[in-house]
Amino acid sequence: MQHRRFLAASIGIATGRAATTATPSGRRIGQRELRHLQRRTTRLRSLDDVLGGADTRHIYRAELGSTMNLLRNASSTEATGRQLLGLVAEQAQQAGWAAFDAGRQTEASALYEKAFQAATAPRIPHSPGTL
């Protein structure tokens, strides 16, 4: 069990800074940045193979928050924005699964709802209160 906690703490330290970095208003997100975020999400998904939801929940939530920050504050083309919104849906679902796995059903339900909202959004939200 100590090995899992050490691994979770190490991963949290390694991913925490990038996941919580503030996005300056006016930043432009292109396909290169989007591909980086998609690869990062794929790598983080593999944590579920070795760690449980209690260990990964905070990492997945931080990553979701960072991506939502980009969605709300950075500019992009319509196509890139749609793909970023799809990534929010995927990350919210991932965070929801970790919350469920950790026994936090209320949190999991809220995250699944956020995933659904992002997946079915008619347009890209640009105001902080949306999504």
Side-chain angles (χ1 to χ4, degrees):
M1 187 59 159
Q2 293 296 340
H3 176 72
R4 290 179 73 194
R5 287 184 188 198
F6 174 77
L7 185 58
S10 299
I11 292 167
I13 290 168
T15 61
R17 189 176 190 300
T20 58
T21 302
T23 302
S25 187
R27 179 175 173 194
R28 184 130 177 106
I29 300 298
Q31 285 294 307
R32 181 177 175 195
E33 293 86 2
L34 179 67
R35 283 191 303 273
H36 171 75
L37 292 171
Q38 290 169 331
R39 285 190 304 270
R40 184 176 167 88
T41 298
T42 299
R43 283 193 310 269
L44 288 174
R45 188 181 312 117
S46 67
L47 289 177
D48 195 48
D49 294 342
V50 289
L51 300 173
D55 298 320
T56 59
R57 188 177 126 265
H58 67 282
I59 296 168
Y60 294 159
R61 292 285 308 246
E63 195 72 13
L64 172 62
S66 178
T67 304
M68 288 183 65
N69 185 39
L70 285 173
L71 184 65
R72 290 179 179 143
N73 297 312
S75 63
S76 66
T77 65
E78 182 71 23
T80 299
R82 285 242 157 254
Q83 290 175 302
L84 195 57
L85 192 57
L87 190 59
V88 165
E90 182 179 348
Q91 290 174 343
Q93 183 179 13
Q94 186 176 31
W97 175 252
F100 179 81
D101 191 36
R104 298 175 169 265
Q105 281 68 32
T106 303
E107 180 182 341
S109 293
L111 286 161
Y112 291 146
E113 179 61 31
K114 186 177 293 294
F116 178 77
Q117 288 173 357
T120 59
R123 62 182 183 79
I124 301 167
H126 288 288
S127 63
T130 335
L131 198 71

